[in-house]
Amino acid sequence: MKNNIIFTTIAVVFSSVLLVIITNLIIVSYYNEKAAKEDLMEYLSMTELLYHGDNDLEVSQSLHTLNVDIRLTIIDLTGEVLFDSSEETGFDSHLGRPEIETLGTIYKRYSNTLKQDMIYVASRDDGHYVRIALPVSSINHITNTFIMYGVLSFSIISLLSFVAVDLLIRKALFPLHRVVAKMQEITHEATLPAGDDVDAISMQIDDINKNILQKIEMIGEEKDKLNFILDNINQGIIVLDYQANVVLINQFALDLFEVKRPQVLNKHFIYGIRQLDIQEKIQSSLLNKNIYAFDYTEKGHIYYMNIAPLVNKWVSKDESHPGAVFMVLEVTERRQIELMKKEFFANASHELKSPLTTIIGYQQMLAEGILKEPKEVEDAIRRTLKEANRMHQIVNDMLELSHLEGKPKEKNELIDASLLISEALDHFKLAINEKHLIIETHLSPLPLWIHRNHLVGLFHNLLDNAIKYNKEGGSIILTTTVCSFTIQDTGIGIPKEDQSRVFERFYRVDKGRSQETGGTGLGLAIVKHICSLYEATIKLRSQLNQGTTIQITFSTTSIGDKNKILQ
Ligand code: ADP
């Protein structure tokens, strides 16, 4: 390409210079010839004046002083050459020469005598023809000199223009080379140096351009990925610059503060965060570099919020003017668990405290000899034992619950749950008989993939309650289907307002009655945990003084093949 430019430029310069030279040459030749012809006519006039019949040599010499190339010929009227300054001899008759035939007219023709082109003109006096001639070469002398200098200047101009064009192109391409080098620096793309070839540079720029476009596309994809991740994490993120403008906000934060991205992005954070207490903390973090970590409750959800100053080149001006990062995490469940644990420990301590107080009281009275009568001593020992058993039962249930909470991965076996119901009834035979309860069973196979202890725990707790809270002479109906177990009693029932809470730990409708019957308040909590382990659902229906029905429906994942059990 560079060579093309040089050759084109030089061709234009060549043609222009050549055109000027040729035009000048034509003009110079024309005027040169015209001047020569005028000179020739003047020489002829002079000769006519000077020549008077016999002084031909004299005239010839005089003419020679004016122009060395001048040729004088004297011809008589018969055409014979009487004198010729060329000193040639043996001339033929000159009457037929055109300049003799048409006197006073200049002719250009080849001279056989001098073997060169000449211009001739002739005139006649009384007895002679006088002819003057000049060689064409003498006329062309100036023209030839002009051509010589023309060629020389043409060559010099060409050489100079070549050098100038080359220099100009180099100078013109220099910034382009710098641009290419910079672009290569940006794209980290190393290509071979293109030299001064504009085509190669252009191809390089094309390559770099493609590379930049690819990189832009890649950056766009990366940005999309990052935005996708940011918008789909279960955590809110807001980044503010040192002027308190929102430079980044993800979907979680947008949803929490109920704003749309365009409403807040690149705007002061107060357009998005309207809560005054949070606003104050953000301001303080930006101005005083304070870090805040706190819980915030909004519409029944608890959020853990963390506001911290952020020194980063794209958000802060300098170390003393930081931006801020605001993180939000939903902790409702975690806080509820924490609360439940706190309540559990308080309840557990309380539950254990009362039997322990009774035991200590009796033991002290026995130790101090306050109870002396054998009946009193026996009574004290029996009460102490009962409270100790209660404590034992509470501790056992607590251990069971904590074990279930750990979601134990125990090996399940395929059990026909209906068979275990008979065993459970055997276990509670004494209590059933004591209360004269009527037991009715409608048992069909219930094949479950379950851990035996869990199934036993489930039936024992439910049957225990159906007996404990039943009326004297009441009844209990136990039913199994291929996917469910139902226990129905005719007991005291559970008031409507307590029905949703009886599965909570240590929750009792009538604390006194429960304690009297040896309840720990953990039985239904254990049932609920076992059910959640096997994704079983619990349905409770109860009517005060009428009775209670609890139905447990197992999920398909826990139900096994009935035929495999029957075989
Ligand atoms: P407890 O050990 O006190 O029986 P549970 O967790 O088994 O604890 O039951 C919680 C409370 O629910 C009981 O204290 C009782 O008030 C009530 N309850 C449970 N089952 C029945 C039932 N079948 N009939 C009436 N009340 C019941």
Side-chain angles (χ1 to χ4, degrees):
M1 181 67 179
K2 181 198 169 193
N3 292 342
N4 281 353
I5 295 174
I6 293 177
F7 289 132
T8 313
T9 315
I10 287 173
V12 171
V13 172
F14 270 20
S15 325
S16 313
V17 172
L18 211 60
L19 195 71
V20 170
I21 289 173
I22 290 168
T23 315
N24 285 345
L25 197 63
I26 291 167
I27 295 166
V28 167
S29 305
Y30 171 76
Y31 282 105
N32 197 22
E33 201 175 307
K34 197 178 164 211
K37 283 177 180 171
E38 280 169 7
D39 283 352
L40 200 67
M41 293 306 282
E42 217 169 289
Y43 295 146
L44 185 65
S45 310
M46 271 177 65
T47 310
E48 281 169 356
L49 277 172
L50 293 172
Y51 185 65
H52 42 76
D54 55 355
N55 60 338
D56 40 27
L57 195 64
E58 223 174 285
V59 174
S60 170
Q61 279 169 349
S62 302
L63 288 172
H64 262 258
T65 57
L66 295 171
N67 188 331
V68 284
D69 293 322
I70 206 158
R71 180 181 168 197
L72 172 68
T73 313
I74 308 290
I75 306 154
D76 69 11
L77 297 177
T78 63
E80 188 186 337
V81 174
L82 301 175
F83 174 79
D84 193 282
S85 61
S86 69
E87 296 173 359
E88 294 288 332
T89 52
F91 295 103
D92 56 352
S93 170
H94 273 46
L95 280 184
R97 300 289 193 275
E99 64 275 12
I100 301 296
E101 281 178 346
T102 317
L103 293 167
T105 305
I106 296 170
Y107 282 96
K108 188 168 143 189
R109 61 179 177 79
Y110 183 74
S111 162
N112 286 323
T113 315
L114 296 180
K115 305 287 182 238
Q116 61 175 312
D117 284 327
M118 304 284 288
I119 52 168
Y120 298 93
V121 69
S123 67
R124 184 190 150 169
D125 61 9
D126 294 341
H128 308 90
Y129 293 106
V130 177
R131 189 183 71 173
I132 300 292
L134 273 174
V136 170
S137 60
S138 77
I139 305 167
N140 289 344
H141 176 68
I142 292 170
T143 313
N144 290 342
T145 311
F146 185 84
I147 290 171
M148 197 182 83
Y149 283 111
V151 168
L152 192 69
S153 52
F154 178 77
S155 310
I156 291 168
I157 288 169
S158 301
L159 192 75
L160 285 177
S161 59
F162 177 83
V163 174
V165 169
D166 190 57
L167 273 173
L168 276 174
I169 288 175
R170 273 173 205 277
K171 211 174 160 194
L173 290 181
F174 182 67
L176 210 59
H177 279 304
R178 272 201 356 217
V179 170
V180 171
K182 280 270 167 230
M183 284 165 91
Q184 284 178 341
E185 227 176 85
I186 294 165
T187 56
H188 305 294
E189 190 187 87
T191 49
L192 291 172
D196 290 338
D197 189 338
V198 182
D199 276 341
I201 294 173
S202 155
M203 272 160 67
Q204 258 188 358
I205 291 174
D206 272 357
D207 285 349
I208 293 169
N209 199 24
K210 271 186 213 150
N211 195 301
I212 288 173
L213 286 174
Q214 269 176 5
K215 285 210 160 91
I216 290 172
E217 213 172 293
M218 266 165 61
I219 291 167
E221 276 173 20
E222 289 302 316
K223 204 180 150 204
D224 287 348
K225 270 189 220 166
L226 197 68
N227 283 342
F228 179 79
I229 293 167
L230 279 175
D231 281 342
N232 285 284
I233 55 169
N234 214 11
Q235 201 172 331
I237 301 171
I238 302 174
V239 178
L240 308 165
D241 67 12
Y242 71 100
Q243 288 172 313
N245 291 326
V246 174
V247 291
L248 188 150
I249 182 161
N250 74 340
Q251 197 56 47
F252 187 98
L254 290 169
D255 293 343
L256 174 64
F257 294 110
E258 293 177 337
V259 280
K260 299 257 174 285
R261 210 183 297 266
Q263 283 172 261
V264 281
L265 200 64
N266 299 321
K267 293 191 182 126
H268 198 280
F269 72 85
I270 57 163
Y271 289 102
I273 302 166
R274 311 230 175 242
Q275 293 76 354
L276 285 175
D277 43 349
I278 301 178
Q279 284 182 2
E280 275 168 21
K281 288 186 174 79
I282 293 174
Q283 282 294 9
S284 165
S285 189
L286 286 167
L287 294 173
N288 311 319
K289 296 194 237 170
N290 287 332
I291 297 172
Y292 292 96
F294 56 97
D295 274 2
Y296 191 84
T297 308
E298 181 85 23
K299 292 181 182 160
H301 292 265
I302 306 166
Y303 299 95
Y304 168 76
M305 298 186 169
N306 188 296
I307 302 168
L310 179 69
V311 178
N312 179 296
K313 64 179 175 190
W314 54 279
V315 291
S316 54
K317 192 177 168 193
D318 49 51
E319 291 252 333
S320 51
H321 296 87
V325 61
F326 179 14
M327 310 272 273
V328 185
L329 191 67
E330 171 149 21
V331 289
T332 315
E333 206 181 331
R334 195 186 296 176
R335 295 291 182 263
Q336 277 169 353
I337 291 168
E338 282 168 8
L339 190 71
M340 267 167 63
K341 274 190 182 153
K342 228 195 246 169
E343 281 174 0
F344 177 77
F345 280 115
N347 285 331
S349 326
H350 181 75
E351 290 293 332
L352 292 168
K353 204 177 155 192
S354 43
L356 204 57
T357 312
T358 314
I359 292 168
I360 293 168
Y362 277 114
Q363 291 300 317
Q364 249 172 4
M365 285 196 280
L366 285 170
E368 286 166 16
I370 298 170
L371 303 173
K372 288 187 186 109
E373 294 298 316
K375 176 92 177 60
E376 285 175 337
V377 172
E378 194 195 318
D379 196 42
I381 290 170
R382 211 179 321 111
R383 289 289 303 271
T384 310
L385 197 64
K386 191 185 168 197
E387 293 304 324
N389 277 333
R390 224 170 84 74
M391 279 177 75
H392 184 235
Q393 189 57 45
I394 291 171
V395 171
N396 275 348
D397 281 359
M398 276 166 61
L399 283 171
E400 174 68 6
L401 252 184
S402 112
H403 177 68
L404 289 169
E405 266 182 348
K407 294 198 165 64
K409 290 262 173 298
E410 282 156 337
K411 209 163 182 279
N412 294 335
E413 51 185 316
L414 190 59
I415 300 170
D416 181 358
S418 65
L419 299 178
L420 258 72
I421 288 174
S422 313
E423 285 176 25
L425 285 170
D426 265 1
H427 181 82
F428 288 101
K429 207 172 176 176
L430 208 68
I432 292 167
N433 290 339
E434 264 178 15
K435 250 185 171 174
H436 305 105
L437 297 173
I438 302 158
I439 306 292
E440 198 181 314
T441 54
H442 304 279
L443 303 177
S444 53
L446 170 55
L448 293 175
W449 279 105
I450 198 164
H451 191 272
R452 181 173 287 268
N453 290 351
H454 293 159
L455 200 57
V456 171
L458 195 83
F459 290 157
H460 278 207
N461 278 301
L462 291 173
L463 201 55
D464 185 32
N465 284 350
I467 298 165
K468 270 192 312 197
Y469 303 107
N470 218 321
K471 293 169 191 165
E472 181 72 23
S475 63
I476 299 172
I477 307 169
L478 296 144
T479 312
T480 55
T481 68
V482 76
C483 64
S484 68
F485 163 72
T486 311
I487 180 164
Q488 187 181 351
D489 65 60
T490 53
I492 58 168
I494 304 167
K496 225 172 179 57
E497 63 274 19
D498 297 305
Q499 286 178 14
S500 60
R501 301 201 61 193
V502 288
F503 293 95
E504 289 175 19
R505 297 153 197 204
F506 298 113
Y507 189 85
R508 298 176 183 102
V509 177
D510 181 346
K511 198 168 164 122
R513 184 176 186 137
S514 169
Q515 273 179 359
E516 210 177 282
T517 52
T520 60
L522 294 171
L524 287 183
I526 291 172
V527 168
K528 193 178 116 184
H529 264 84
I530 293 171
C531 286
S532 79
L533 270 183
Y534 297 96
E535 293 168 17
T537 54
I538 310 171
K539 215 184 262 172
L540 183 144
R541 283 190 310 274
S542 186
Q543 244 182 335
L544 216 52
N545 297 319
Q546 298 278 315
T548 303
T549 305
I550 293 177
Q551 186 183 44
I552 294 170
T553 308
F554 292 91
S555 77
T556 46
T557 50
S558 306
I559 297 166
D561 188 350
K562 187 169 82 176
N563 299 322
K564 282 194 177 161
I565 293 174
L566 289 175
Q567 277 162 18

